[in-house]
Amino acid sequence: MFKKIIISILLFTTITACTTNQELYTGDDDEEFSTFNTIALPIVIVGVVAVAVIVIAGASQSGSGSSSSDYVYCKGNYCHQAAAWDYLPGNAQYRCRNTENGQFVSNYYCSGQYKQDNWY
């Protein structure tokens, strides 16, 4: 993917050069300097790099995976403890969650607690 980004930057660089015939300005007499292309070149490069950074950042975040705890917070009576029960209506079961990070843990950690839904 990184190769595609580099190729795109090079392509935009050659398309948006500093002369009216899309070549790099060297100062020769037969070249016509283009103010628009000179200004547009760095803008296009910055834009392409910004898009590449956003795409790479989005790919790294989506690759990390998401858990059901992303939108669920512990708000019940047992949230001050290391783990608390969570009722999952999809399968009508209680599961034990770590109250710090919301990850599911062994039900052993919630033993001794009254089974109530602490996660909303």
Side-chain angles (χ1 to χ4, degrees), residues 84-88 91 93-97 104-107 110 119:
W85 288 112
D86 181 15
Y87 180 72
L88 304 172
N91 59 7
Q93 293 181 348
Y94 282 92
R95 288 289 314 272
C96 189
R97 286 185 186 251
F104 291 112
V105 296
S106 173
N107 288 345
C110 292
W119 297 81

Side-chain angles (χ1 to χ4, degrees), residues 10-32:
L10 292 175
L11 180 64
F12 280 119
T13 303
T14 56
I15 291 172
T16 316
C18 298
T19 65
T20 55
N21 59 355
Q22 277 68 33
E23 294 179 2
L24 292 176
Y25 184 73
T26 60
D28 290 340
D29 291 336
D30 60 338
E31 292 180 330
E32 186 177 338

Side-chain angles (χ1 to χ4, degrees), residues 33-117:
F33 181 78
S34 171
T35 305
F36 173 77
N37 288 345
T38 302
I39 294 171
L41 176 64
I43 293 171
V44 169
I45 291 173
V46 168
V48 169
V49 170
V51 168
V53 168
I54 291 169
V55 167
I56 290 171
S60 68
Q61 288 178 354
S62 67
S64 66
S66 63
S67 69
S68 57
S69 64
D70 287 346
Y71 306 104
V72 179
Y73 300 99
C74 189
K75 298 179 183 177
N77 295 332
Y78 294 102
C79 294
H80 65 282
Q81 296 187 11
W85 288 112
D86 181 15
Y87 180 72
L88 304 172
N91 59 7
Q93 293 181 348
Y94 282 92
R95 288 289 314 272
C96 189
R97 286 185 186 251
N98 180 315
T99 54
E100 263 188 53
N101 59 23
Q103 298 295 314
F104 291 112
V105 296
S106 173
N107 288 345
Y108 166 80
Y109 293 103
C110 292
S111 64
Q113 294 181 10
Y114 175 72
K115 282 192 176 180
Q116 68 179 36
D117 193 4

